[in-house]
Amino acid sequence: MKNGKCPKCKSSEVFTGANIKMKKGVYGSNTIPLGGILGSQIALDNYVCTNCGYTESYINNPGDIKKIRNNWDRAW
Ligand SMILES: [Zn+2]
């Protein structure tokens, strides 16, 4: 998906919100909740196929990915 090709419909009409402003914070709905006492939010980079609507989300910040490892349960 990051390469601009939709894995579902094979369209190349893929757009990304990776560079939009205010991905997190007061106006940030483009986040995933980390959980915990502080209730931190982690920003997501979204890739949307404008042909079929399929969406993928990625965490771009390596430090944020580490937080997930430290705070979430491993899926079995
Ligand atoms: Zn598609």
Side-chain angles (χ1 to χ4, degrees):
M1 193 88 174
K2 282 182 175 177
N3 64 6
K5 188 143 188 163
C6 177
K8 300 295 181 187
C9 74
K10 312 301 180 196
S11 166
S12 53
E13 296 299 314
V14 175
F15 290 76
T16 178
N19 297 314
I20 61 173
K21 290 183 168 51
M22 296 191 288
K23 279 193 290 189
K24 59 186 287 192
V26 178
Y27 302 103
S29 56
N30 185 28
T31 58
I32 187 169
L34 178 63
I37 298 167
L38 298 176
S40 306
Q41 301 284 324
I42 291 175
L44 295 173
D45 288 351
N46 292 315
Y47 291 75
V48 176
C49 172
T50 59
N51 184 51
C52 73
Y54 180 70
T55 304
E56 280 185 2
S57 298
Y58 295 85
I59 297 171
N60 191 35
N61 184 316
D64 285 343
I65 294 173
K66 194 176 174 192
K67 285 182 200 168
I68 295 285
R69 286 188 67 102
N70 291 338
N71 288 279
W72 287 20
D73 299 326
R74 183 181 292 272
W76 296 97

